[in-house]
């Protein structure tokens, strides 16, 4: 027989018997009454029913939503944890489905784990980071392999290449990046020239600022500055775009439609980077030389004609190619890291932010390491 209760009055009736406890939820157990019911639930002492039965009579429930079902499920778990046998009685079919859906999903708070301190904790963190770095390298090589396979497939079937998407990304990565890259390179070239003149003037070697600026910009500074800015500007955008698609399950939808995400998403972006990076590096180098030349003219009394003549004598075509040959490799590294990090995004905005940050940091780090490896290689072969 159903217990009659007043409308919109939520309560919990507790009765103790020799065989255990009988708990009777009354009225609406919903989100609106959850705060009212919480103190009454906490006041129930399940320890007195140890070895006995705790029966839940749900015939007095008017309404039940997820919050109310969660409260009942927690009471049932608390009774079992106290050593009692929990039973549900007079459950309506619609309430039974809700309770069954929540069964097993309510978990106790995880026990507090005592964290190691001192040297042990440091080694544990270091080992975790080394393992994570190894995993990143493995995934990156796997992604590179997938890109190579997709490239081979496109060579055999050129019509699979997405020309329109590649041009659109080339516009964003290359053309739209020209103003900021040339401006920053111009300013860096001017600063390098000013500081060099300031120091070389003490030795009466002001003219050598042209040699210093030309070699530094063409071999190292132009391509390195461009790679860092592309990693921060375009690499982060690639990670955020692919990560957002991963969160919305659009990548799974592509696979369902029989499309390869590497072919659709990664290849146009990598192609755009491979084309744009050498061009942007050249523009960055020219902007840096222009900024350095203007400072040398105004601050070091080196006329433009003298600057250009000295630059011609100090540089060779080999100097230019040593710098520009690094650009495609750096573009490939930035693109691979950006796309790989985007594919790692989980279903939360926090994960998207973490992977975007990780993409920029890893790209800049690897670009600098790669530049150092190229410098050692060219030094070893005498270039």
């Amino acid at each position: 027989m159903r217990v009659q209760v007043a409308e919109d009055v939520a309560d919990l009736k507790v009765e103790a018997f020799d065989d255990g406890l009988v708990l009777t939820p009354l009225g609406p157990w919903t989100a609106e009454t959850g705060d009212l019911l919480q103190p009454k639930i906490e006041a129930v002492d399940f320890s007195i029913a140890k070895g006995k039965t705790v029966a839940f009579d749900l015939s007095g429930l008017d309404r039940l939503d997820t919050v109310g079902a969660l409260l009942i499920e927690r009471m049932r778990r608390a009774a079992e944890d106290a050593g009692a046998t929990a039973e549900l009685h007079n459950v309506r079919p619609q309430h039974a489905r809700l309770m069954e859906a929540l069964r097993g999903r309510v978990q106790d708070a995880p026990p507090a784990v005592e964290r190691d301190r001192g040297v042990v904790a440091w080694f544990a963190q270091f080992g975790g980071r080394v393992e994570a770095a190894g995993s990143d390298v493995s995934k990156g090589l796997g992604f590179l392999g997938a890109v190579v396979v997709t490239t081979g497939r496109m060579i055999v079937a050129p019509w699979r290449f997405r020309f329109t998407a590649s041009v659109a990304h080339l516009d964003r990565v290359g053309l739209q990046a020209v103003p900021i890259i040339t401006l920053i390179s111009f300013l860096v070239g001017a600063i390098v020239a000013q500081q060099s003149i300031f120091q070389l003037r003490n030795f009466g070697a002001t003219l050598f600022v042209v040699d210093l600026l030309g070699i530094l910009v063409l071999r190292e500074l132009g391509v390195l500055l461009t790679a860092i800015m592309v990693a921060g500007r375009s690499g982060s955008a690639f990670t955020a775009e692919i990560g957002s698609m991963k969160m919305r399950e659009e990548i799974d939808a592509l696979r369902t439609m029989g499309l390869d995400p590497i072919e659709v998403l990664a290849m146009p972006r990598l192609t755009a980077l491979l084309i744009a990076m050498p061009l942007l590096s050249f523009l960055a180098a020219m902007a840096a030389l222009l900024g350095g030349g203007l400072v040398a003219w105004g601050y070091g009394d080196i006329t433009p004609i003298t600057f250009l003549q000295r630059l011609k004598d100090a540089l060779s075509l080999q100097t230019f190619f040593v710098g520009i040959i690094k650009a495609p490799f750096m573009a490939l590294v930035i693109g691979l890291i950006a796309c790989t990090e985007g594919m790692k995004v989980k279903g939360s905005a926090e994960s998207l932010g973490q992977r975007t940050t990780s993409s920029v940091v890893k790209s800049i780090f690897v670009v600098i390491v790669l530049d150092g490896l190229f410098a050692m290689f060219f030094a070893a072969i005498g270039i």
Side-chain angles (χ1 to χ4, degrees), residues 21-45:
L21 294 176
V22 176
L23 303 183
T24 307
L26 304 173
W29 278 48
T30 60
E32 290 78 9
T33 61
D35 292 339
L36 174 64
L37 292 168
Q38 191 66 38
K40 299 179 180 181
I41 294 173
E42 294 175 353
V44 179
D45 184 10

Side-chain angles (χ1 to χ4, degrees), residues 139-158:
K139 291 179 180 179
L141 292 176
F143 197 89
L144 176 61
V147 169
V148 171
V149 171
T150 303
T151 303
R153 190 163 59 238
M154 287 183 174
I155 292 175
V156 176

Side-chain angles (χ1 to χ4, degrees), residues 205-273:
T206 304
L207 192 59
F208 284 98
V209 70
V210 182
D211 304 62
L212 174 65
L213 183 66
I215 295 173
L216 178 63
V217 166
L218 290 182
R219 287 183 66 105
E220 303 291 340
L221 206 55
V223 66
L224 189 58
L225 276 175
T226 302
I228 291 174
M229 286 184 282
V230 167
R233 183 182 180 275
S234 302
S236 61
F238 290 170
T239 303
E241 290 166 359
I242 295 176
S244 297
M245 297 180 69
K246 184 78 180 295
M247 291 172 59
R248 294 195 296 264
E249 299 182 353
E250 294 179 17
I251 294 179
D252 294 333
L254 288 175
R255 293 192 177 100
T256 302
M257 292 186 292
L259 299 175
D260 183 7
I262 304 296
E263 180 181 321
V264 176
L265 301 178
M267 291 304 297
R269 290 170 168 82
L270 289 173
T271 303
L273 280 175

Side-chain angles (χ1 to χ4, degrees), residues 273-314:
L273 280 175
L274 289 171
I275 296 174
M277 269 292 294
L279 300 176
L280 291 175
S281 299
F282 174 76
L283 291 176
M286 296 302 102
L289 290 176
L290 177 60
L294 292 177
V295 170
W297 186 17
Y299 188 72
D301 295 328
I302 301 175
T303 63
I305 295 177
T306 305
F307 183 89
L308 292 175
Q309 185 61 46
R310 184 72 182 183
L311 197 63
K312 179 182 177 182
D313 296 337

